Amino acid sequence: MKRKLTAVLALVCAGSMALAGCAGSNMIDTDVVTVEGYKGIEVPEVEKAAEVTDKDVESTIQSTLESKATQKEITDRAVENGDTVNIDFVGKIDGEAFDGGSAEDYPLTIGSGVFIDGFEESVIGHNVGETYDWNGKFPDNYGNAEQAGKDVVFTITVNKITQDEVPELNNKFVKSVSKKSKTVKEYKQEVKKQLIEDADTAYNDNLSSAAWEAVLDKSKVKKYPKKDVKEIEDNLIQQYKDAAEYYGMDYEAFIQEQMGASVEDFEDQVNKAAKASVKQSLVTKAIADKENIELTSDEYKKQLKEMAENYGYADAKALKEAAPEEDLKEMALNNLVKDWIAKNCVQVAKTESKDTEE
């Protein structure tokens, strides 16, 4: 179970290294890594999201309503646009059935556009139990060259008609989807607040990522610790070996099929990923030591909660069961350093190119 998060951790975690030495106020020079210009690092200006409008709120709520829709079977009318129908069909070209042209109990939403022009529209007006022939034609640019541009006859049977029933936005619905709101008014305020928070989070994440990448670009590892690199390499490779075994394949064949590369090329990429991970760990610790950024117990708990949400775990406890605590603390400290870098970075306004100005 502890390996489940390794792929995520690989780009931010590695074993700790003892660091020593420092340089100027905006440069760190240790026995293993050099970090330049990290304080006030320049990054392209990150655009903030547009203001959240009432239309945005209504659209979000409508999506939630539609996600909770139930299907009602229709028995008293013919097929209409927007209905979901269950159909059987057999397609024939020159009187002969062709591969991929037939299906049974196929669910089709009328108007989805998944079939060639005219197919879905032909179902409209037919009742459950009806079988009919529809004469159509494959487009000239159809993906299958053998069928492109050819006339086709589909024999279609309507088995069932269903219609989505979208719930009404009322206080009862609100209570079923929200732990905070009890009325529609409160729910709209809650959704707006969440949209604003999501926009702020996206902005902060984008700024943090840009600033951190800029710092890494200006940092150099003098000598990679072989033990730490190998540990990450072995962990990642073992995941793929386990996957190969799960699918009943040997490791080499699995890599060729899934990654489209030879084992040698794949493991070369693993080595680069491992070194990138170690570099991030070294730079993280160097900056944390220089700027006295400490992962306190309270901050660690806060970070665990956020990471559990980001990686889809039920709670912090479930996350701790999925990965070694040493790795989680590495991730948490990395997050704190990235936040510090982002707060101290300088955003540089994007300038229009000469061609654009002209």
Side-chain angles (χ1 to χ4, degrees), residues 90-102 116 134-139 142 144-155:
V90 177
K92 294 181 179 180
I93 296 177
D94 296 329
E96 296 291 332
F98 55 91
D99 290 341
S102 303
I116 60 175
W134 174 72
N135 296 296
K137 184 177 182 179
F138 285 104
Y142 192 63
N144 188 320
E146 293 183 359
Q147 298 162 8
K150 291 187 177 180
D151 293 328
V152 60
V153 178
F154 280 100
T155 300

Side-chain angles (χ1 to χ4, degrees), residues 328-342:
L328 293 175
K329 286 184 176 180
E330 286 276 358
M331 290 182 69
L333 181 62
N334 178 260
N335 289 339
L336 292 182
V337 170
K338 287 168 70 175
D339 287 344
W340 187 92
I341 293 293

Side-chain angles (χ1 to χ4, degrees), residues 133-243:
D133 287 340
W134 174 72
N135 296 296
K137 184 177 182 179
F138 285 104
D140 293 334
N141 60 349
Y142 192 63
N144 188 320
E146 293 183 359
Q147 298 162 8
K150 291 187 177 180
D151 293 328
V152 60
V153 178
F154 280 100
T155 300
I156 304 169
T157 299
V158 180
N159 299 320
K160 185 167 67 172
I161 305 171
T162 57
Q163 185 180 51
D164 285 342
E165 283 199 326
V166 179
E168 180 184 349
L169 179 60
N170 51 33
N171 293 346
K172 182 180 179 181
F173 175 80
V174 167
K175 292 175 184 177
S176 71
V177 296
S178 173
K179 295 180 179 179
K180 300 178 181 178
S181 304
K182 295 182 179 179
T183 66
V184 172
K185 182 179 179 180
E186 291 174 349
Y187 183 53
K188 288 183 177 181
Q189 292 173 343
E190 178 188 343
V191 170
K192 185 171 186 176
K193 181 181 178 182
Q194 186 61 55
L195 289 174
I196 292 172
E197 290 178 358
D198 290 345
D200 288 342
T201 297
Y203 169 80
N204 291 330
D205 287 347
N206 290 336
L207 179 60
S208 176
S209 295
W212 182 241
E213 287 302 318
V215 169
L216 288 177
D217 286 344
K218 297 187 70 173
S219 302
K220 295 181 180 179
V221 177
K222 297 176 180 178
K223 185 178 181 180
Y224 284 96
K226 293 182 179 179
K227 179 182 176 182
D228 294 332
V229 173
K230 188 174 187 307
E231 182 180 350
I232 295 174
E233 283 181 319
D234 291 346
N235 238 336
L236 289 171
I237 290 172
Q238 189 59 51
Q239 287 187 76
Y240 284 89
K241 287 183 175 179
D242 290 345

Side-chain angles (χ1 to χ4, degrees), residues 284 287-295 333 336-337 340-341:
T284 294
I287 295 175
D289 287 351
K290 181 70 182 292
E291 301 300 334
N292 298 314
I293 301 172
E294 182 183 357
L295 182 66
L333 181 62
L336 292 182
V337 170
W340 187 92
I341 293 293

Side-chain angles (χ1 to χ4, degrees), residues 44-117:
E45 187 174 18
V46 178
E47 293 184 10
K48 288 191 174 183
E51 183 181 352
V52 175
T53 65
D54 290 342
K55 186 177 180 180
D56 296 327
V57 174
E58 296 294 338
S59 178
T60 300
I61 292 176
Q62 184 60 35
S63 295
T64 302
L65 288 167
E66 291 174 0
S67 72
K68 301 296 181 180
T70 56
Q71 284 197 331
K72 175 185 177 183
E73 187 169 353
I74 305 298
T75 59
D76 59 352
R77 63 167 174 78
V79 177
E80 295 179 357
N81 191 35
D83 287 343
T84 297
V85 294
N86 179 292
I87 60 174
D88 299 336
F89 61 87
V90 177
K92 294 181 179 180
I93 296 177
D94 296 329
E96 296 291 332
F98 55 91
D99 290 341
S102 303
E104 293 183 351
D105 294 324
Y106 187 91
L108 170 65
T109 299
I110 306 301
S112 61
V114 297
F115 280 83
I116 60 175
D117 287 347

